Amino acid sequence: MGHKIHPTGLRLGITQEHRSRWYAPSKTYPSLLQEDDRIRKFIHKKYGAAGISDVVIARKADQLEVELKTARPGVLVGRQGSGIEELRSGIQKAIGDNARQVRINVVEVERVDADAFLLAEYIAQQLEKRVAFRRVMRMAIQRAQRAGVLGMKLQVSGRLNGAEIARTEWTREGRVPLHTLRADIDYATKVATTTYGVLGIKVWVFKGEVLPGTQEKVPVGAAPKRRASRRPQQFEDRSNEE
């Protein structure tokens, strides 16, 4: 039997960071953890059309900081920042504390087609529209390749194309080294609700390797730095000398 390990949890502290950045004593830890879960569920339910790929929550004393990575920041911000105020009040209502200071930071995803969650969301939307799953997987891989990823793996499970018996289909393009700890693997899951049942979607995206000692990651799709060209050697013609 295989022992499957979550790609993000395996790389915490190496190439991945925690989605919740705070510390709490054992008495208050469960309630704060439930708050984080309620905040994430509220954001993904109400702002599903905003293309939110990740929600990072940090706590400083009495202040709550929420960082949203989204493909469409205009949907969240709204006109003259009205959407931010609505989001802040919604978070306060979700956690049941209207006096809590909530700070919201919206970050735009630079490359939408290189983000695992947004690709999984795209696949789910297409499957819910009754598009053939093989065609959807092929289109998703083509979009990721245009974004410049080094490798990608897709897996779809359930009653594919409305078949009577559920099965699992997967495909891979390029390199996806799941056993390499320094590999920057972006992993996401999504559920597609169709008329003939639910389909599970898993996406792995390999964006390169983070070598030890290097703080900055090479952006996805960027050309590697070329070595500085060496100075051309100069030779003297001494063939006529005696």
Side-chain angles (χ1 to χ4, degrees):
M1 298 294 292
H3 298 274
K4 304 297 186 293
I5 298 176
H6 198 287
T8 303
L10 181 65
R11 293 170 175 81
L12 282 176
I14 303 173
T15 60
Q16 298 288 338
E17 296 180 353
H18 290 273
R19 270 47 174 181
S20 294
R21 302 169 187 167
W22 47 267
Y23 173 80
S26 58
K27 292 183 178 180
T28 59
Y29 182 86
S31 60
L32 295 181
L33 186 63
Q34 291 174 5
E35 277 188 8
D36 285 9
D37 186 54
R38 288 198 298 268
I39 290 171
R40 288 190 171 92
K41 285 182 178 178
F42 162 74
I43 291 174
H44 285 294
K45 182 178 180 180
K46 185 170 183 179
Y47 299 94
I52 299 174
S53 66
D54 199 5
V55 180
V56 180
I57 299 175
R59 299 176 187 271
K60 295 180 180 178
D62 194 30
Q63 189 176 12
L64 178 67
E65 295 185 2
V66 180
E67 181 179 300
L68 304 174
K69 298 180 181 178
T70 174
R72 293 181 285 275
V75 178
L76 282 176
V77 177
R79 292 185 178 180
Q80 298 179 352
S82 60
I84 296 294
E85 293 298 328
E86 184 181 354
L87 176 59
R88 181 180 290 109
S89 61
I91 291 175
Q92 291 175 344
K93 186 178 179 180
I95 62 179
D97 187 0
N98 293 328
R100 183 78 59 87
Q101 294 182 4
V102 180
R103 182 180 177 186
I104 299 173
N105 185 22
V106 179
V107 180
E108 184 177 4
V109 179
E110 295 181 358
R111 293 181 178 271
V112 177
D113 294 335
D115 190 280
F117 185 84
L118 296 179
L119 285 170
E121 197 173 52
Y122 164 75
I123 295 171
Q125 291 174 356
Q126 295 297 313
L127 291 175
E128 289 173 355
K129 295 178 182 178
R130 305 294 296 270
V131 182
F133 76 96
R134 294 189 189 277
R135 174 184 169 88
V136 174
M137 294 171 73
R138 185 170 62 250
M139 291 167 59
I141 288 177
Q142 291 175 355
R143 292 179 61 167
Q145 287 177 336
R146 285 196 297 267
V149 301
L150 300 180
M152 182 179 179
K153 180 181 176 182
L154 292 177
Q155 180 175 307
V156 182
S157 305
R159 294 184 58 190
L160 303 178
N161 290 343
E164 192 72 23
I165 299 177
R167 67 183 192 276
T168 299
E169 295 283 346
W170 67 276
T171 183
R172 181 180 60 222
E173 288 291 334
R175 291 178 58 233
V176 187
L178 297 179
H179 289 192
T180 305
L181 291 178
R182 65 175 179 270
D184 184 15
I185 302 291
D186 191 10
Y187 172 73
T189 61
K190 185 72 177 176
V191 174
T193 306
T194 64
T195 56
Y196 42 81
V198 295
L199 303 179
I201 303 163
K202 293 183 178 181
V203 179
W204 294 261
V205 176
F206 175 50
K207 298 183 178 180
E209 294 185 359
V210 181
L211 300 178
T214 58
Q215 297 294 332
E216 297 182 358
K217 298 180 182 179
V218 179
V220 178
K225 294 182 179 179
R226 298 182 178 179
R227 293 182 179 179
S229 57
R230 294 189 299 175
R231 185 177 180 181
Q233 298 181 357
Q234 297 180 356
F235 298 94
E236 296 181 5
D237 185 9
R238 298 182 179 179
S239 57
N240 294 330
E241 295 182 0
E242 295 181 356

